[in-house]
């Protein structure tokens, strides 16, 4: 099966870079999976868990606020915040929750309120 | 003519000054390396963001473009965000940014525009307070922050965006020290609102294919622009951080060298004075012995 070139970039660093089989993205219009040779697409990414599948290996990464861009070269996700799901606990979790709640308070358009509410909900499960 | 004792005290004092400047220089060198690494780590995000924005901006007509991109249609009120360091001992770093900002303020006021100032970092605020205190609307302190993170940039950009929404200003310009290399830091003014689509970024050719946009182009652009401004602020803060350490290192290197020169000079003076004293004593002894 053809491999998909995938980059996950956050402001602090290049979080992930490499060839994978499939990436599931929490898109603004719902979750979707990306395989190799996907049609060019640009979408905003909501807060949630992004799943990177490579063979039998599965990585779950929590991302919040960003964009996904799919071109012939592969998939690039720009996330304002990215953290492996396993590390999402204690202080980091509290911090993420706080951020989500602040953005809910600041949200003023219906779309922004929905996105912020979804972020709060996504974190409530932890 | 200072006495031997006085000279010795002065030499000691300059020596301990040299120790301090030398230590500060080494601290700055270590911090500079870290700051450069942070700036490099942030680069991929900023570059990709610029590319995405350039792609989007090229496809959106100016009539329907969001205000952040197209502007408010006026340029009467200017917000200057002046980012400087929290600490001194870094040569002309803070002053050169302040000078650049002051030139801009004078130019804008000469054109009859209204100027508002938002300072980031204590040093710039101190230098501008006396002349332009009444123009300052707020201050953001970075004291106690070891290494600027994206949250710090977000705090600043949230404040800018909040003001923009309220109609607090029309044009926003960011002042910071651009890090060219260890020897050169360039005080830079960068306009962030209305956002300028980055120049020199290649608009990606998809070989005839077209992007699918979810939800749609304008919605994406609308949520991308505030982030883009955050990224620009973040980049400026990182550049500033690296520039500050580089300037500090250069200034402390100079100070260490000057202290060394001074010690040499004082040591020579001290040796001469000591020799002169010995010679005088000898002459006295010989003269005394002869007279017996």
């Amino acid at each position: 099966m053809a491999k998909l070139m995938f980059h996950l970039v956050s402001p602090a660093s290049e979080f992930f870079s490499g060839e994978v089989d499939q990436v599931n993205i929490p898109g603004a219009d719902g979750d979707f999976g990306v395989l190799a040779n996907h049609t060019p697409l640009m979408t905003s990414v909501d807060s949630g868990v992004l799943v990177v599948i490579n063979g039998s290996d599965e990585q779950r990464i929590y991302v919040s606020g960003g964009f996904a861009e799919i071109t012939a070269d592969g998939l690039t996700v720009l996330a304002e915040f990215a953290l492996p799901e396993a590390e999402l606990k204690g202080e980091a979790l509290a911090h993420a929750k706080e951020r989500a709640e602040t953005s809910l308070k600041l949200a003023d358009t219906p779309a922004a309120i929905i996105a912020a509410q979804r972020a709060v909900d996504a974190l409530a499960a932890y | 003519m200072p006495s031997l004792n006085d000279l010795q005290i002065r030499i000691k004092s300059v020596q301990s000054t040299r120790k301090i400047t030398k230590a500060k220089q080494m601290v700055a060198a270590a911090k500079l390396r870290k700051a450069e690494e942070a700036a490099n780590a942030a680069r991929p995000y900023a570059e990709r963001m610029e590319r995405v924005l350039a792609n989007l901006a090229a496809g959106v007509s100016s009539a329907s473009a969001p205000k952040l991109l197209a502007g408010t249609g006026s340029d009467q009120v200017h917000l200057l965000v002046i980012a400087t360091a929290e600490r001194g001992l870094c040569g002309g770093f803070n002053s050169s940014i302040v000078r650049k900002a002051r030139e801009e303020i004078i130019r804008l006021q000469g054109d009859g525009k209204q100027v508002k100032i938002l300072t980031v970092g204590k040093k710039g605020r101190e230098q501008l307070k006396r002349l332009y205190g009444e123009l300052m609307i707020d201050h953001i302190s970075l004291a106690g922050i070891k290494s600027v993170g994206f949250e710090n940039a977000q705090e600043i950009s949230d404040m800018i965006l909040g003001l923009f929404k309220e109609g607090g200003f029309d044009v926003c310009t960011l002042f910071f020290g651009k890090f060219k290399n260890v020897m050169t830091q360039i005080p830079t003014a960068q306009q962030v609102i209305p956002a300028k689509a980055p120049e020199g970024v290649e608009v990606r050719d998809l070989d005839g294919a077209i992007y699918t946009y979810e939800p749609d182009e304008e919605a994406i652009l609308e949520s991308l622009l505030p982030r883009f401004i955050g990224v620009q602020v973040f980049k400026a803060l990182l550049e500033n951080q690296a520039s500050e350490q580089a300037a500090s290192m250069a200034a402390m290197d100079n100070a260490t060298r000057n202290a060394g020169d001074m010690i040499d000079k004082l040591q020579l003076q001290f040796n001469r004075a000591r020799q002169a004293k010995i010679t005088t004593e000898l002459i006295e002894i010989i003269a005394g012995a002869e007279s017996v």
Side-chain angles (χ1 to χ4, degrees), chain A residues 8-26:
Chain A
L8 174 58
V9 198
S10 78
S13 64
E14 185 144 16
F15 199 84
F16 185 100
S17 178
E19 293 197 320
V20 297
D21 284 330
Q22 183 184 343
V23 181
N24 294 345
I25 301 171

Side-chain angles (χ1 to χ4, degrees), chain A residues 7 9-14 29 39-44 65-67 69-71 73 76 78-80 95 99 108, chain B residues 41-42 44-45 48-49 51-52 55-56 150-151 154 165 204 206 209-215 220 223-224 227 234:
Chain A
H7 299 278
V9 198
S10 78
S13 64
E14 185 144 16
D29 285 355
T39 181
L41 171 81
M42 175 127 40
T43 181
S44 42
F67 294 86
E69 187 195 22
I70 304 167
T71 62
D73 299 337
T76 304
L78 297 173
E80 246 166 41
H95 191 62
R99 272 167 42 106
D108 51 1
Chain B
Y45 186 82
R48 279 169 206 272
M49 194 84 158
R51 221 179 51 204
V52 171
N55 264 322
L56 273 170
F150 192 60
E151 312 90 71
Q154 239 168 358
K165 251 184 220 160
R204 185 185 286 265
L206 293 168
I210 37 166
Y211 273 117
T212 314
Y213 292 98
E214 259 184 41
I220 293 183
S223 62
L224 183 110
R227 297 215 166 99
F234 185 47

Side-chain angles (χ1 to χ4, degrees), chain B residues 78 102-113:
Chain B
H78 287 249
R102 208 161 49 207
E103 280 164 11
E104 185 68 11
I105 295 170
I106 290 167
R107 190 183 69 79
L108 287 171
Q109 285 184 332
D111 289 350
K113 313 280 189 210

Side-chain angles (χ1 to χ4, degrees), chain A residues 41-65:
Chain A
L41 171 81
M42 175 127 40
T43 181
S44 42
V45 173
D46 272 355
S47 297
V49 175
L50 183 145
V51 186
V52 184
I53 300 166
N54 200 7
S56 58
D57 186 38
E58 200 184 280
Q59 271 190 62
R60 295 170 68 83
I61 302 166
Y62 173 79
V63 293
S64 104

